[in-house]
């Protein structure tokens, strides 16, 4: 009977160590934060360890330098770059807590043992560019407010 109690005590101690390690890893993952800035420093995107956008800084001069589609493309590009850096940091935090042959990046991405073909649907294998946002047409001077009702009521 004593053998069973010792075994249970060992299992409980191991469980407590695992929980402490998990809590520590979670705290470290929560602390991961990476940023990426445009070459001119006008746009900066910041993401957390799970790749979620947590901050976006756009200098006033960015509105003069970039057309809306270009600014959108910059934000998407910078968020992707910051996410890649954050995932690298998160992988380094997570790796020691995982079994030896487990890929932390795949775990973070939720891809496990899937192949690239299984993950990426056809036609979605590239990062969007400014061309994807319709650079052919500018909407900068367009009036988006229908003020015809307001004009008649005056």
């Amino acid at each position: 009977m004593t053998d069973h109690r010792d075994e249970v005590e060992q299992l409980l101690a191991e469980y407590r160590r695992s929980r402490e390690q998990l809590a520590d890893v979670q705290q470290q993952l929560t602390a991961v934060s990476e940023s990426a800035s445009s070459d001119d420093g006008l746009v900066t995107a910041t993401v957390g360890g799970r790749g979620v956008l947590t901050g976006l800084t756009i200098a006033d001069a960015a509105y003069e330098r970039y057309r809306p589609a270009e600014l959108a493309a910059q934000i998407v590009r910078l968020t992707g770059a910051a996410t890649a850096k954050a995932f690298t940091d998160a992988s380094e935090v997570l790796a020691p807590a995982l079994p030896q042959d487990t890929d932390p990046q795949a775990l973070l991405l939720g891809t496990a043992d899937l192949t690239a073909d299984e993950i990426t649907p056809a036609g979605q294998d590239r990062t969007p560019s400014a061309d994807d946002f319709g650079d052919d047409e500018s909407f900068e001077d367009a009036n988006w407010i229908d003020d015809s009702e307001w004009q008649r009521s005056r």
Side-chain angles (χ1 to χ4, degrees), residues 54-66:
T54 59
L56 181 63
T57 304
I58 303 172
D60 290 340
Y63 298 108
E64 296 168 9
R65 176 160 164 63
Y66 300 109

Side-chain angles (χ1 to χ4, degrees), residues 69-137:
E70 294 169 328
L71 183 56
Q74 279 281 22
I75 292 168
V76 169
R77 183 183 65 76
L78 294 172
T79 301
T83 298
K85 292 193 298 187
F87 270 28
T88 297
D89 293 352
S91 292
E92 291 172 6
V93 167
L94 198 54
L98 296 175
Q100 190 172 15
D101 293 334
T102 304
D103 178 8
Q105 286 276 336
L107 184 67
L108 287 167
L109 293 171
T111 56
D113 60 348
L114 300 175
T115 66
D117 291 339
E118 292 172 311
I119 297 166
T120 307
Q124 292 185 5
D125 56 353
R126 63 180 185 82
T127 303
S129 69
D131 296 336
D132 296 325
F133 295 97
D135 276 345
D136 299 342
E137 188 173 357

Side-chain angles (χ1 to χ4, degrees), residues 18-58:
S18 294
R19 288 209 22 107
E20 288 173 8
Q21 182 184 21
L22 179 61
D24 185 48
V25 166
Q26 285 295 340
Q27 289 172 357
Q28 290 179 45
L29 284 174
T30 302
V32 170
S33 180
E34 285 289 347
S35 297
S37 297
S38 58
D39 292 338
D40 56 17
L42 298 176
V43 182
T44 300
T46 303
V47 300
R50 291 185 172 90
V52 175
L53 185 65
T54 59
L56 181 63
T57 304
I58 303 172

